Each structure stands twice: as C-alpha cells, then as structure tokens.
C-alpha cells in the first residue's frame, strides 16, 4: 500500500445488519478527495440511493479524519461526521457535523482514516475498536443511559486510554438535534438520532500506532512551535485572568479565574 504523509491508508467499514466489518484501501479509492468531509461526501454520493431518509437503514454515517489528525499539529483534532441530515427541511440533505477531542487522533493511531457505518443492528450495540481488533458488542445494558455513564462503563472495559463517542437518551429516541459526544465534552449536533436509528450506542477507539509524516521532522516541529506561539498571542481569552507560573499570558477581562476548583 502506498504511504502518503498524514494518512493511515485504511477505511474501516462496519455493517451493523450483519455484524461484520472489513477494511478497504483509502489511498487508491479516495485519494482525490481531501479530508474526512470529502471522504464522507464521496461515500454517500457513490453508495446511498437518492431519496433515502435520514433514519432509514440505507443511510450511512461516516466518521472521517483529516491528514493532520494525530500529528501534533495545533487545531488538528476535528472528526467530520457526515450523513443524510435529520434536521434539514423540506428535504433531507447531506451535511457534516464536527466534534473535537481526541477521537480523530485515536482513530488514526488505531490505523484508520475513517469509519463507514451502514445497516441497522437488530438490538442495541456498541462498536469496539482496538487497533486491528474490531467487535460489535451488546449494548442493551447501556441503552437508556446517559453519555457520561456510557462513557465510564465502556472505559472500564477498554481502559482509560480509549476514546468513547456515545449518544444519550435523546439520540436513542431519534430527537433530530441530538448529539454524539466523545470524552463527555466534545460533541457534534444533529447526528445522534442517526446512530440511534441504527441501534448504535457508542464507538470506542484505542490505538497504539502512529501517524507517518512525509516531511522533514525538524522543520515540522519548528512549524508547530511557530503555530503555537501565534495561538498563544490570539486565543479568544482562553487564558487565566491573573498571572500564573504555568501560563504564558493572562488577561484581566477573561472569565476564567484560574484558581483552585474554578474553571
């Protein structure tokens, strides 16, 4: 398989109707589209029939990453979640929701650039991905639970390093604006109901690999440090409001107190 900097080179496909998964070569099939959003749109264009409704089993939902995810580059961690959107009116349209956090990086470390979810499980399930080991697991004990409890229970099984993206009761009940959320704090709105329609409670990922960078590593690190210096000078007041030994900047107008037990 050809190696391109920033790409793992594989797409994981999971058919919930059969419980089976397979891997396809991302580079050869999707090399002409850039990033997780482009890959998601290509999949829907090629594979989902016109007129498919958002909550029908024929709809697919794609968790895609970009070439910078997992590389250490600042602002690289968005996961693009593309599907036929349940909130568009009067006709459903293809759209993408984005969530931050470490899900994108962890997916790359597990060896995948994207996950394509298709079909519908006959019972509540969750998807476990640990490097090359992919399992569709029973989630009936998690169905009806909130995102936080679901995240904790799955993390107890896979370990604290795993990143869990889950839906709550709103997604289970097919509420159009419901979210999928990873690490209990990074969400993408509008796609929770699509996971709920497929009886998919959560996706948990644990990766131990790395991301290949084609360029010179020293130049890469220098560029990353320059980017970080620019972010430190202009970061929308996400700084403490008083001088701190660990903070390069502070601003009295920020709402972050930076004191113990405050955020």
């Amino acid at each position: 398989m050809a190696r391109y900097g920033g790409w793992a080179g594989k797409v994981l496909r999971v058919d919930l109707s059969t419980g089976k998964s397979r891997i396809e070569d991302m580079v050869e099939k999707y090399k002409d589209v850039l990033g997780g959003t482009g890959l998601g749109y290509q999949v829907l264009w090629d594979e989902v029939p016109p007129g498919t409704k958002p909550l029908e089993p024929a709809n697919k939902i794609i968790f895609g990453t970009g070439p910078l995810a997992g590389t250490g580059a600042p602002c690289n961690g968005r996961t693009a979640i593309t599907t036929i959107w349940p909130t568009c009116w009067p006709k459903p349209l293809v759209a993408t929701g984005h969530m931050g956090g470490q899900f994108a990086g962890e997916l790359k470390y597990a060896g995948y650039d994207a996950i394509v979810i298709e079909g519908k499980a006959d019972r509540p399930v969750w998807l476990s991905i640990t490097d090359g080991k992919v399992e569709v697991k029973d989630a009936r004990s998690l169905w009806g639970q909130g995102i936080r409890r679901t995240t904790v229970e799955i993390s107890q099984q896979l370990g604290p390093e795993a990143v869990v993206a889950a839906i709550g009761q709103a997604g289970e009940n097919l509420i159009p604006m419901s979210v999928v959320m990873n690490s209990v704090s990074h969400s993408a709105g509008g796609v929770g109901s699509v996971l709920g329609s497929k009886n998919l409670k959560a996706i948990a990922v644990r990766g131990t690999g790395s991301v290949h960078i084609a360029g010179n590593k020293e130049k890469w690190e220098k560029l990353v440090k320059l980017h970080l210096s620019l972010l430190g000078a202009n970061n929308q007041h996400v700084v403490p409001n008083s001088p701190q030994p660990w903070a390069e900047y502070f601003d009295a107008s920020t709402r972050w107190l930076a004191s113990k037990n405050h955020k």
Side-chain angles (χ1 to χ4, degrees):
M1 179 184 297
R3 296 186 70 190
Y4 289 76
W7 297 111
K10 294 184 293 184
V11 170
L12 174 64
R13 286 181 171 266
V14 180
D15 187 341
L16 296 177
S17 297
T18 63
K20 295 181 179 180
S21 63
R22 60 186 176 88
I23 296 171
E24 66 182 11
D25 183 345
M26 188 279 281
V27 174
E28 294 306 317
K29 191 169 185 178
Y30 301 110
K31 62 183 179 181
D32 292 332
V33 296
L34 178 64
T37 300
L39 189 151
Y41 272 65
Q42 188 72 60
V43 169
L44 292 174
W45 177 267
D46 291 342
E47 303 174 17
V48 177
T52 300
K53 301 293 193 300
L55 304 184
E56 292 178 347
N59 187 21
K60 301 187 180 185
I61 185 166
I62 301 95
F63 288 69
T65 70
L68 294 181
T71 65
C75 305
N76 70 76
R78 308 299 289 183
T79 302
I81 307 176
T82 306
T83 188
I84 300 177
W85 214 252
T87 60
C88 294
W89 186 90
K91 291 185 178 181
L93 299 173
V94 175
T96 302
H98 298 88
M99 63 181 182
Q102 184 61 12
F103 188 92
E106 202 70 23
L107 187 63
K108 295 280 277 292
Y109 301 151
Y112 310 102
D113 296 303
I115 310 170
V116 179
I117 304 293
E118 51 195 32
K120 177 181 179 179
D122 60 4
R123 67 192 188 287
V125 297
W126 65 278
L127 181 60
S128 173
I129 303 170
T130 303
D131 293 325
K133 184 178 181 182
V134 180
E135 299 177 280
V136 178
K137 296 194 172 187
D138 194 298
R140 283 175 287 189
S141 64
L142 300 174
W143 205 254
Q145 304 293 341
I147 290 174
R148 288 180 179 272
R149 183 180 294 272
T150 299
T151 299
V152 169
E153 293 196 16
I154 292 177
S155 296
Q156 288 176 341
Q157 295 184 46
L158 295 187
E161 299 87 358
V163 178
V164 181
I167 63 171
Q169 298 93 331
E172 295 174 3
N173 288 284
L174 311 184
I175 304 301
M177 280 299 294
S178 56
V179 304
V180 57
M181 181 178 293
N182 81 82
S183 308
V184 302
S185 61
H186 302 278
S187 65
V191 296
S193 60
V194 178
L195 268 67
S197 73
K198 297 182 176 300
N199 281 327
L200 181 59
K201 180 64 176 178
I203 301 174
V205 184
R206 175 72 178 104
T208 60
S210 59
V211 179
H212 171 70
I213 298 174
N216 180 276
K217 291 184 179 180
E218 292 183 358
K219 291 182 178 179
W220 177 267
E221 291 180 0
K222 185 177 180 179
L223 180 61
V224 168
K225 289 179 180 179
L226 173 62
H227 194 171
L228 289 173
S229 71
L230 296 174
L231 288 176
N234 181 18
N235 58 1
Q236 299 180 343
H237 290 295
V238 186
V239 294
N241 69 351
S242 59
Q244 301 292 329
W246 45 264
E248 185 177 2
Y249 302 97
F250 75 96
D251 192 307
S253 65
T254 184
R255 63 183 179 181
W256 185 24
L257 301 179
S259 57
K260 189 175 181 181
N261 298 325
H262 288 83
K263 295 182 178 180

